[in-house]
């Protein structure tokens, strides 16, 4: 079974719903991480570097976001491989919708990371 879908029935609709849930979780995590980054304020340059490094250690990175999105895409591709022929168009449509949501969430996180890394500390 796709990662995160172990123990789920072979029913394509149920698996697709689980993949959609995985997508929503990944998007929510990226939005939450972006929100944390947007609220960050720094007192010094070393404070900025320390806070960003601490967040990176906890997975607030572009690579972490790519990993989350990759897991969703992997699950959806596997569902596509085993889907009944009549369901493929719906799955393709959901796949593109998920891709769009993930790209939007990633862009939000990417912008927040970029802005946080350039934000001037209060000491400057």
């Amino acid at each position: 079974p796709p990662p995160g879908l172990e123990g789920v029935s072979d029913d394509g609709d149920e698996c697709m719903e689980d993949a959609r849930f995985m997508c929503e979780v990944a998007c929510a995590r990226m939005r939450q991480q972006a929100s944390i980054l947007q609220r960050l304020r720094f007192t010094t340059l070393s404070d900025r570097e320390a806070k960003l490094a601490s967040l990176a250690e906890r997975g607030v990175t572009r690579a972490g976001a790519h990993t989350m999105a990759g897991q969703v895409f992997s699950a959806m591709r596997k569902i596509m491989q085993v889907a009944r022929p009549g369901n493929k168009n719906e799955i393709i449509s959901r796949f593109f919708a998920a891709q769009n949501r993930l790209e939007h969430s990633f862009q939000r996180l990417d912008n927040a990371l970029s802005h946080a890394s350039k934000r001037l500390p209060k000491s400057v």
Side-chain angles (χ1 to χ4, degrees):
L5 300 180
E6 296 85 0
V8 175
S9 78
D10 289 340
D11 177 30
D13 292 338
E14 188 175 333
C15 288
M16 192 63 210
E17 188 62 24
D18 286 344
R20 187 193 63 76
F21 179 73
M22 286 174 62
C23 178
E24 292 303 316
V25 168
C27 289
R29 282 188 185 150
M30 284 186 254
R31 287 191 309 267
Q32 179 188 36
Q33 291 173 353
S35 179
I36 289 167
L37 288 161
Q38 289 166 347
R39 291 190 312 264
L40 275 181
R41 298 296 176 259
F42 313 107
T43 54
T44 64
L45 290 174
S46 61
D47 178 44
R48 178 176 70 190
E49 297 307 316
K51 285 181 180 177
L52 292 175
S54 174
L55 287 171
E57 287 174 12
R58 292 185 278 161
V60 182
T61 63
R62 289 172 182 86
H66 280 290
T67 298
M68 286 188 283
Q71 289 170 342
V72 172
F73 291 139
S74 176
M76 294 185 91
R77 276 192 300 276
K78 288 179 182 180
I79 290 167
M80 180 68 121
Q81 292 170 351
V82 298
R84 295 181 298 255
N87 291 355
K88 292 211 183 220
N89 286 340
E90 181 182 349
I91 292 170
I92 290 169
S93 174
R94 289 185 183 190
F95 186 90
F96 284 123
Q99 180 180 3
N100 185 44
R101 290 185 51 73
L102 286 163
E103 284 178 7
H104 184 265
S105 297
F106 178 83
Q107 189 62 46
R108 186 173 172 180
L109 175 61
D110 184 56
N111 288 339
L113 278 165
S114 180
H115 290 211
S117 69
K118 297 174 187 172
R119 191 169 298 131
L120 293 175
K122 294 177 184 176
S123 66
V124 174

